[in-house]
Amino acid sequence: MRDSSNRHRGLPPRTPELLYNVVRKFYRGAVSHYDLIQEKKQEAYACFEQMQATGDDQPLRAALATLFLEFHFYTTCWLQIELALYRLARQDERLAKVMDTFRTALETHVAVREQLEQTEACVAAQFAAGSSGLSCVGVERDAYLFDRFTFTVDETSLAQLHALFAAVEEQRTMSTSEKA
């Protein structure tokens, strides 16, 4: 099984056209998933408020598990974009610069995705971070804890994704016009 740390080893060769299609496909997937994630965050917050009133954390734990599965899909899209961009960057110096520009965002999303492989542990970590038994700091602040990262899928993440895709598309357009 390929994990995050060795994800670039032994990748089969792909044509630039196919790799650009991969970027496009997973960009659209992540963008289309954004609204659903916001809905699930609202549901988690409602469960948080319910927990504050009743003391029962089970509905919140279930809502967080669902939310984190949605985060997993979103960050998997980022991973697939990163893998395609990695291969494109090996073929084109301009795309290597794009990858360098977005390295922090890419690495953050990929690292969070790796944490999300253990959904229940991620849910438990949200409660461990709070100072009281009825605390769940991530839900309160929309800033969830994943190992060394505080993360959420928000406008900032979506803006990074849009900017990354625009930069890749700009290079694809330039490459296409150079060939013509």
Side-chain angles (χ1 to χ4, degrees), residues 5-158:
S5 61
N6 71 10
R7 68 187 176 276
H8 298 129
R9 287 193 203 132
L11 291 172
R14 299 286 187 248
T15 65
E17 181 181 331
L18 177 64
L19 294 170
Y20 284 121
N21 285 338
V22 167
V23 170
R24 222 176 352 269
K25 173 184 175 182
F26 286 100
Y27 164 76
R28 285 192 312 257
V31 169
S32 70
H33 213 64
Y34 180 80
D35 289 337
L36 176 62
I37 290 171
Q38 302 317 303
E39 224 175 87
K40 296 301 176 188
K41 287 196 302 189
Q42 290 173 355
E43 290 173 15
Y45 193 81
C47 290
F48 168 74
E49 289 179 328
Q50 178 185 350
M51 179 188 74
Q52 296 288 33
T54 66
D56 181 10
D57 69 357
Q58 289 311 306
L60 177 55
R61 287 179 184 275
L64 284 174
T66 300
L67 175 62
F68 292 166
L69 291 171
E70 303 305 338
F71 276 16
H72 186 270
F73 177 84
Y74 180 83
T75 57
T76 296
C77 291
W78 274 82
L79 171 65
Q80 293 302 321
I81 292 167
E82 191 269 350
L83 288 169
L85 184 55
Y86 172 81
R87 290 192 250 184
L88 286 164
R90 293 179 62 202
Q91 301 171 20
D92 186 332
E93 184 179 309
R94 293 174 299 195
L95 286 160
K97 289 178 183 173
V98 169
M99 191 160 191
D100 284 342
T101 300
F102 292 93
R103 183 167 311 283
T104 300
L106 288 162
E107 287 177 356
T108 298
H109 285 82
V110 169
V112 168
R113 183 200 175 275
E114 185 174 14
Q115 294 298 307
L116 287 165
E117 289 290 320
Q118 304 297 320
T119 307
E120 290 305 317
C122 290
V123 170
Q126 305 313 305
F127 289 89
S131 58
S132 74
L134 295 179
S135 181
C136 191
V137 176
V139 175
E140 291 176 89
R141 298 184 186 148
D142 188 26
Y144 303 90
L145 303 172
F146 298 99
D147 192 26
R148 63 187 189 275
F149 297 99
T150 301
F151 178 84
T152 192
V153 176
D154 60 4
E155 289 292 330
T156 301
S157 173
L158 190 61

